[in-house]
Amino acid sequence: MSTSTLSLLDALESEAIHIIREVAAELERPVLLFSGGKDSMLMLHLAVKAFAPAPVPFPLLHVDTGHNFPEVLAFRDRTVDRLRLRLEVAKVQDYIDDGRLRERADGTRNPLQTRPLLDAIEAGKFDAVFGGGRRDEEKARAKERIFSLRDEFGQWDPRNQRPELWNLYNGRHRPGEHVRVFPLSNWTELDVWRYIARERIDLPSLYYTHEREVFDRDGMLLALGPHAQPRTAAERASVRAEKVRYRTVGDMSCTGAVRSIALTVDDVLAEVAATRITERGATRADDRMSEAAMEDRKKEGYF
Amino acid sequence: MSTLTEEATVPVTEPIRAVGPVETTTLLRIATAGSVDDGKSTLVGRLLYDSKSVLTDQLDAVERVSRDKGYDVTDLALLTDGLRAEREQGITIDVAYRYFATARRSFVLADCPGHVQYTRNTVTGASTADVVVLLVDARKGLLEQTRRHLAVAALLRVPHVVVAVNKIDLVDWSQDRFAQIAADLRRAAGALGVAEDAVHAVPVSALRGDNVVDPSGNTPWYDGPTLLELLETLPAADSAESGSFRLAVQHVVRPRTDDDLFRDYRGYAGQVAAGVVRPGDAVVVLPSGRRTTVVGIDTADSLAAGRDTLPAAYAPQSVTLRLADDVDVAHGDLLAAADDAPVPTQDVTATLAWLADRPLAARTTVLLKHGTRTVKAQVREIPGRIDLDSLHGDTVGLTATDRLDLNDLGRVVLRLAAPVPVEPYARARRTGAFLLIDPDDGATLAAGMVTAAG
């Protein structure tokens, strides 16, 4: 018996559980990045399964940009309470309020997350940080290891990555350094949705089709709200109600919605299978900044 | 058959990606290897493109960059070269992972750079691969680099080697040329100890798409499967993985709960590395050697369903085992079938793939990670460097050396600070493998494959 007898989802689940257990066994203070979005919900679900019937032996961390969808934050808190976990929240707003960070001209706060994240890692003395990143999301992520070393400034050096062999992961590091760990590295968007359907994982409602006030910006549909207001006459003229859902959930100011009729997880599955545009390409303004936008942010310490 | 450029500008008319029934879709891990300019990135691009795994925004970006650079054709290599330095230098530096799927299977493809100095990447990709896809230019035939990659696949015991004889259009679709390369290949693979049924050859034109996904009308003499058909149907079963039961303990699960059901629960979590385990099986805890019996096999799902135990667990499932006796079992221990267990030893002879810039000299102290156990080790001797051109079945030609450099393969003799239950890699791909780690900065120094224990 071998890989061939395990279905795709069972093989991916087994690999992720092995990775999560390895971190808990070999590193002192792991933490799991948790936003309430689908990838972090999936990662948390796998962590719960990895240690059952015992509780998850590490806390959660969320870097809140202050521009998150309120229903996602409410979902995040309900989930943490239900599983009786400990959640730390690092707030970008606190940094802006006391002048440690300045608002960007374009209003996007995604790149501002790096500093609060690194401060939270240092303050919590975390030496392993689980992230929900997948290699199919983006070109720079496609090159990243499952255990990815960060130096004492939180930086990723793509030219100097450790080779990763068999299923032997190496989380050793010098004091001040830490590892980012990506248990979902080998999952695709389709695998994520198939698994969410199979395991009946609860998600924030905005992953499913609902009606919302939106407007057009740079070919994306942004939700009208306190953090995204039309700036030009053309943007103002485009405001209307649409039936939409979200493929990724990030900042309201830079995450686009997609027109959809998918009301259930099975509808979403059919839609994802038929799509011709990648998840991030469809919905994330921050990745459109340049050909190497993600690589540059990762080098600075972004997840 | 149209070329890539023409196809790339045609609107995609068949938008549905293949989605098989989720219960029966399996996963196949592929590593690619080839020499510079043999069209490897084009082949990967073709597999992704023809299996509809490249989405329009990715293709738009690649077309835009190709135009900006003044290329006449869309450079599909840009799909996989993800780092700034790679795009700037036009070379692939690092292993990139790509994902595509058909109705029958999902594929993880480790795209490994072809340059000689990046052999370590081929070793990395091959370590987890079910199959190595090796590119050969039909005009050039087997090159030294092809033989090296074949030797790496043989050394790492990759279950299948598929050779794509590329640019077959440039030798006028010659059956004789293909037959000659296939024969050379089988001879080379046989000499390396690769079983005949583990080697497959397909005549392809990656640029034009012949025999990659769809059968070609240009090779009527070839009645075998296309490359994709072959990848869809190869048995993923690895004979090394079907051996005796092995599980490296990662974590002791103790809920410490008030819940009556689990108050005294004590389980040993890990991934089955080989074989199968059932309740009632006798196992031995290594390195202590204590014998005990498996009384239950749990997963989160089986516990939630209130089941007493799963009937069995197979490699590579992640499970939690309960044992009959209150034996001392901890992270780092190996559970093994009692009737066929390895003998822990402090003396190990192994083949190393040296992966670090700093060279290895005898008497160096390192850390050795095997399964979930890490121990100190000293390199006692370096009997020699392995000359890949001299590999012959299990006979290895060694060249005397006092050090190993980056990308060298060599034989070493190690002395471990504590006994570790290693096995010959030829027999067990998981429990025969280890890493060497720098004790100071934690760098991964070498991939190790045990040749003799004790």
Side-chain angles (χ1 to χ4, degrees):
Chain A
M1 288 276 185
S2 169
T3 318
S4 61
T5 58
L6 278 195
S7 77
L8 168 68
L9 292 184
D10 287 335
L12 290 172
E13 178 191 69
S14 173
E15 178 182 78
I17 287 175
H18 175 254
I19 292 162
I20 292 167
R21 286 170 169 173
E22 198 64 8
V23 170
E26 299 233 325
L27 289 130
E28 300 280 330
R29 293 177 67 85
V31 68
L32 185 144
L33 292 176
F34 183 72
S35 65
K38 73 175 189 317
D39 295 312
S40 66
M41 271 306 284
L42 173 53
M43 194 162 57
L44 181 58
H45 181 85
L46 290 162
V48 168
K49 288 186 108 171
F51 302 104
V56 175
F58 39 76
L60 314 180
L61 171 66
H62 183 214
V63 182
D64 183 351
T65 59
H67 287 176
N68 285 290
F69 290 89
E71 58 262 58
V72 177
L73 293 182
F75 179 86
R76 176 198 74 183
D77 293 339
R78 276 202 308 281
T79 305
V80 169
D81 287 347
R82 177 169 56 85
L83 295 170
R84 288 192 277 174
L85 296 167
R86 190 161 66 80
L87 170 75
E88 287 186 29
V89 181
K91 292 187 167 155
V92 172
Q93 190 64 52
D94 292 348
Y95 283 71
I96 291 173
D97 290 346
D98 65 17
R100 280 177 291 172
L101 286 175
R102 255 184 304 176
E103 200 86 72
R104 292 162 51 96
D106 62 7
T108 302
R109 286 190 175 179
N110 243 359
L112 301 184
Q113 292 178 88
T114 301
R115 170 93 188 269
L117 171 68
L118 294 178
D119 286 351
I121 291 171
E122 195 178 328
K125 297 191 170 58
F126 298 122
D127 58 355
V129 182
F130 287 107
R134 309 189 317 265
R135 286 172 177 155
D136 82 322
E137 279 182 85
E138 204 279 332
K139 286 188 294 234
R141 288 202 200 266
K143 297 268 169 173
E144 189 158 18
R145 304 294 187 256
I146 292 173
F147 274 51
S148 183
L149 186 71
R150 300 301 163 105
D151 68 15
E152 57 181 311
F153 299 98
Q155 300 178 109
W156 179 53
D157 180 0
R159 297 295 303 259
N160 192 24
Q161 298 196 81
R162 289 176 180 170
E164 208 155 63
L165 297 123
W166 297 289
N167 60 349
L168 296 171
Y169 301 104
N170 176 7
R172 293 214 164 231
H173 57 86
R174 283 185 281 217
E177 297 177 339
H178 69 275
V179 287
R180 301 282 171 89
V181 181
F182 302 100
L184 309 183
S185 288
N186 287 326
W187 297 57
T188 66
E189 186 190 13
L190 192 57
D191 299 331
V192 167
W193 279 105
R194 286 165 146 185
Y195 191 77
I196 285 167
R198 186 181 90 170
E199 304 279 308
R200 300 196 182 92
I201 298 172
D202 205 14
L203 292 185
S205 56
L206 47 66
Y207 281 105
Y208 303 104
T209 298
H210 55 285
E211 195 168 282
R212 191 181 280 267
E213 294 263 284
V214 294
F215 64 95
D216 297 320
R217 176 181 292 165
D218 302 334
M220 291 195 310
L221 284 181
L222 290 189
L224 193 66
H227 309 303
Q229 288 290 325
R231 293 183 196 138
T232 64
E235 286 182 8
R236 270 188 294 278
S238 69
V239 174
R240 76 275 185 190
E242 284 258 26
K243 285 210 186 326
V244 296
R245 66 174 204 90
Y246 286 84
R247 281 175 77 185
T248 67
V249 168
D251 266 17
M252 294 184 76
S253 61
C254 66
T255 307
V258 292
R259 280 183 204 86
S260 174
I261 51 163
L263 296 171
T264 66
V265 66
D266 289 328
D267 297 341
V268 173
L269 254 179
E271 194 179 281
V272 171
T275 188
R276 295 303 303 159
I277 299 181
T278 61
E279 189 178 278
R280 297 193 83 89
T283 62
R284 296 298 272 261
D286 46 337
D287 290 340
R288 296 185 175 186
M289 290 178 198
S290 85
E291 182 72 0
M294 176 66 94
E295 181 181 346
D296 292 343
R297 273 183 292 147
K298 286 183 83 70
K299 282 180 181 166
E300 295 292 314
Y302 189 77
F303 17 89
Chain B
M1 200 160 291
S2 57
T3 68
L4 279 178
T5 13
E6 288 159 15
E7 262 181 287
T9 55
V10 169
V12 181
T13 52
E14 170 53 78
I16 306 292
R17 272 186 282 174
V19 179
V22 69
E23 307 78 28
T24 55
T25 302
T26 55
L27 184 66
L28 190 81
R29 297 177 199 256
I30 305 169
T32 63
S35 308
V36 184
D37 293 334
D38 54 16
K40 185 167 59 62
S41 291
T42 310
L43 182 75
V44 171
R46 172 59 73 178
L47 272 174
L48 296 174
Y49 185 78
D50 283 3
S51 64
K52 299 177 179 59
S53 304
V54 181
L55 302 185
T56 43
D57 58 323
Q58 294 173 307
L59 201 59
D60 288 348
V62 167
E63 285 178 340
R64 194 178 58 239
V65 174
S66 296
R67 263 198 315 277
D68 291 350
K69 291 189 177 222
Y71 298 161
D72 293 335
V73 293
T74 299
D75 183 2
L76 286 182
L78 293 168
L79 280 173
T80 52
D81 291 343
L83 300 176
R84 188 192 289 279
E86 292 176 322
R87 285 192 300 274
E88 285 169 1
Q89 296 169 31
I91 58 163
T92 312
I93 293 166
D94 205 338
V95 182
Y97 294 88
R98 290 283 146 194
Y99 301 83
F100 64 102
T102 68
R104 299 164 85 162
R105 235 180 206 167
S106 285
F107 302 90
V108 178
L109 187 147
D111 192 14
C112 307
H115 293 251
V116 179
Q117 64 266 38
Y118 296 121
T119 297
R120 73 167 177 179
N121 289 324
T122 310
V123 172
T124 302
S127 72
T128 51
D130 299 305
V131 52
V132 166
V133 174
L134 194 54
L135 264 282
V136 173
D137 186 325
R139 296 168 302 176
K140 298 177 187 161
L142 261 60
L143 301 175
E144 190 201 334
Q145 182 73 349
T146 317
R147 290 179 205 278
R148 286 182 70 93
H149 284 141
L150 203 54
V152 168
L155 213 52
L156 281 135
R157 306 269 163 182
V158 180
H160 299 277
V161 177
V162 172
V163 175
V165 180
N166 192 24
K167 306 189 184 181
I168 195 77
D169 50 322
L170 300 184
V171 293
D172 294 329
W173 317 99
S174 164
Q175 179 176 12
D176 290 346
R177 183 69 186 142
F178 174 74
Q180 185 198 334
I181 291 171
D184 287 350
L185 170 78
R186 274 178 224 290
R187 203 159 35 245
L192 291 166
V194 180
E196 195 161 317
D197 62 358
V199 185
H200 318 263
V202 185
V204 304
S205 166
L207 192 66
R208 301 168 57 106
D210 298 78
N211 292 328
V212 177
V213 170
D214 300 313
S216 168
N218 296 312
T219 53
W221 42 265
Y222 176 75
D223 58 3
T226 67
L227 179 62
L228 188 63
E229 282 167 2
L230 192 57
L231 295 174
E232 280 186 306
T233 52
L234 281 177
D238 171 355
S239 56
E241 237 94 289
S242 62
S244 299
F245 167 68
R246 305 281 185 264
L247 179 144
V249 176
Q250 294 185 282
H251 187 81
V252 181
V253 180
R254 294 181 61 198
R256 298 184 178 90
T257 164
D258 293 335
D259 183 345
D260 280 345
L261 203 55
F262 298 120
R263 184 173 295 145
D264 299 320
Y265 187 93
R266 192 182 177 90
Y268 304 97
Q271 188 173 35
V272 180
V276 52
V277 63
R278 293 185 177 85
D281 282 359
V283 295
V284 57
V285 184
L286 298 171
S288 76
R290 293 283 301 276
R291 285 173 69 102
T292 180
T293 307
V294 175
V295 293
I297 303 168
D298 299 327
T299 61
D301 292 332
S302 74
L303 290 167
R307 294 173 69 179
D308 284 341
T309 177
L310 290 175
Y314 304 91
Q317 278 182 289
S318 285
V319 292
T320 301
L321 301 185
R322 280 173 286 120
L323 303 175
D325 309 286
D326 200 11
V327 289
D328 183 16
V329 183
H331 166 245
D333 287 341
L334 183 77
L335 300 178
D339 59 1
D340 180 26
V343 179
T345 177
Q346 288 178 261
D347 295 293
V348 175
T349 306
T351 300
L352 286 190
W354 191 252
L355 310 169
D357 289 324
R358 64 204 95 160
L360 172 73
R363 314 300 299 172
T364 305
T365 299
V366 293
L367 296 172
L368 179 146
K369 182 172 183 182
H370 173 261
T372 52
R373 176 171 296 256
T374 303
V375 298
K376 268 191 183 173
Q378 195 185 54
V379 179
R380 282 287 160 91
E381 276 178 65
I382 306 177
R385 189 182 295 129
I386 293 172
D387 178 7
L388 281 177
D389 302 324
S390 75
L391 275 183
H392 247 278
D394 289 333
T395 324
V396 172
L398 293 179
T399 312
T401 181
D402 55 0
R403 58 184 248 178
L404 294 180
D405 292 307
L406 176 63
N407 291 310
D408 275 352
L409 293 160
R411 184 61 46 80
V412 295
V413 177
L414 302 167
R415 173 73 181 170
L416 314 186
V420 172
V422 296
E423 307 183 68
Y425 186 81
R427 193 175 165 242
R429 210 174 162 197
R430 290 274 175 250
T431 40
F434 61 85
L435 300 182
L436 293 187
I437 295 169
D438 189 308
D440 295 325
D441 65 5
T444 301
L445 299 172
M449 289 151 282
V450 176
T451 52

